Amino acid sequence: MKGIDMNKTIVFKCGGSVIRELSDTFYENVRSLQAAGFKLAIVHGGGPEITNMLQKLEVKTEFVDGQRKTTKPVLEVAEMVLSGTVNKYFVSELAKHDISSVGVSGKDGQMLVADFLNQDVYGYVGEIKEVNPEMAEALMDKQFIPVIAPLSMTEECQTLNVNADLAASAVAGAMKADKLMFVTDVEGILKNGELLDVVTEQEAISLIDEGIISGGMIPKVQSAVSALSGDVDEVMIVNGKGSIFTGETFKGTRIVKQKEAVL
């Protein structure tokens, strides 16, 4: 891996729709990165599987501004799926590829402390107020990858669901991670058939407005842009169905803050 700076921290965000489609090559990349000295953490979603389970259990749901309102029954299903089915599937797949990991949620070690985003409107949906990464970092120091389900607790220990994109951004910021990678089913942002190596957040928004970024790529890019924060300067979109690095450089599109455009 010539050209790649070792002993760095990478946080991967894996959407629920891609977890079961990750390639053997992706897992081989993860194992190689860890063996080379990278400290790795994974934050995952699980929206499609939550939807399927809600339908099976005939739990009624409603959407507000495109977001599912998390009622008490919905929260119970979400926690069961995120911390149970999806999280342990991921841990099992990592084990199959000789990668040691520990499945946790943001509740463990009070990693994600949140408050209600707006209980009347969204129900039990949290807005992250504090991140305590010590437990996850202790696992990483022992060569375990923490696989984190996006659940949180209030200071009164009330469980809240949180947006996985924002959870990944918060974790990456608290860990001072060098890279936050959004693992998707696409290579990155394409323009005229060419993969763009780097775009600023404003350029990404303009590409959406111009129709160059379209269809299912829009929410992927919007999510990556939303993850940029005061503590996260760069988000990279990579393809978990293929290889995420070439052996010398990471493969995908970097989305950076506007101020980095002059670099």
Side-chain angles (χ1 to χ4, degrees):
M1 273 177 280
K2 180 182 176 182
I4 295 179
D5 194 3
M6 305 305 173
N7 300 312
K8 299 274 190 168
T9 299
I10 299 175
V11 174
F12 295 100
K13 187 272 172 175
C14 294
S17 60
V18 77
I19 289 172
R20 295 183 185 271
E21 297 182 7
L22 295 172
S23 68
D24 288 337
T25 303
F26 170 80
Y27 287 108
E28 289 165 6
N29 289 168
V30 169
R31 187 174 66 243
S32 297
L33 288 168
Q34 189 180 42
F38 280 84
K39 294 180 179 180
L40 310 176
I42 296 171
V43 178
H44 66 81
E49 298 201 33
I50 293 172
T51 297
N52 290 339
M53 186 58 69
L54 289 170
Q55 290 173 347
K56 287 180 181 178
L57 298 177
E58 298 182 350
V59 176
K60 293 182 179 179
T61 61
E62 61 177 298
F63 286 81
V64 180
D65 299 329
Q67 179 172 319
R68 191 199 319 274
K69 183 173 183 177
T70 303
T71 61
K72 197 75 170 178
V74 170
L75 179 64
E76 291 176 358
V77 173
E79 182 164 23
M80 175 178 68
V81 172
L82 290 170
S83 287
T85 310
V86 176
N87 190 274
K88 300 315 172 190
Y89 169 82
F90 217 150
V91 168
S92 296
E93 288 301 301
L94 288 162
K96 287 179 184 177
H97 292 85
D98 297 321
I99 302 167
S100 297
S101 65
V102 176
V104 298
S105 81
K107 294 170 62 175
D108 294 300
Q110 293 181 304
M111 190 187 318
L112 299 179
V113 179
D115 200 354
F116 286 92
L117 178 61
N118 185 324
Q119 189 170 6
D120 292 336
V121 176
Y122 300 111
Y124 293 88
V125 174
E127 180 180 15
I128 298 170
K129 297 297 184 181
E130 181 182 349
V131 182
N132 300 300
E134 292 83 5
M135 181 267 292
E137 290 175 334
L139 290 171
M140 294 157 69
D141 286 341
K142 296 295 185 181
Q143 306 304 309
F144 289 96
I145 296 177
V147 180
I148 305 164
L151 295 159
S152 63
M153 286 197 299
T154 66
E155 291 182 351
E156 293 74 32
C157 300
Q158 168 64 58
T159 300
L160 298 177
N161 195 6
V162 293
N163 178 283
D165 300 330
L166 300 182
S169 177
V171 168
M175 289 182 175
K176 295 180 171 54
D178 301 280
K179 289 187 179 295
L180 170 57
M181 293 194 173
F182 271 49
V183 182
T184 69
D185 57 359
V186 295
E187 297 293 330
I189 299 174
L190 299 177
K191 184 176 182 180
N192 300 324
E194 295 292 328
L195 179 68
L196 299 178
D197 291 328
V198 59
V199 298
T200 66
E201 55 184 326
Q202 187 55 54
E203 287 170 342
I205 293 168
S206 296
L207 289 170
I208 293 174
D209 293 340
E210 294 166 14
I212 294 172
I213 296 173
S214 61
M217 192 63 189
I218 292 176
K220 293 181 176 68
V221 174
Q222 288 175 330
S223 294
V225 169
S226 72
L228 290 170
S229 68
D231 296 316
V232 177
D233 294 325
E234 172 186 317
V235 177
M236 193 167 192
I237 295 176
V238 299
N239 184 8
K241 297 176 74 173
S243 176
I244 64 172
F245 70 87
T246 63
E248 294 185 356
T249 58
F250 290 99
K251 185 178 180 182
T253 299
R254 294 167 53 228
I255 301 177
V256 300
K257 292 181 179 178
Q258 186 67 35
K259 66 181 181 181
E260 298 192 15
V262 296
L263 297 181

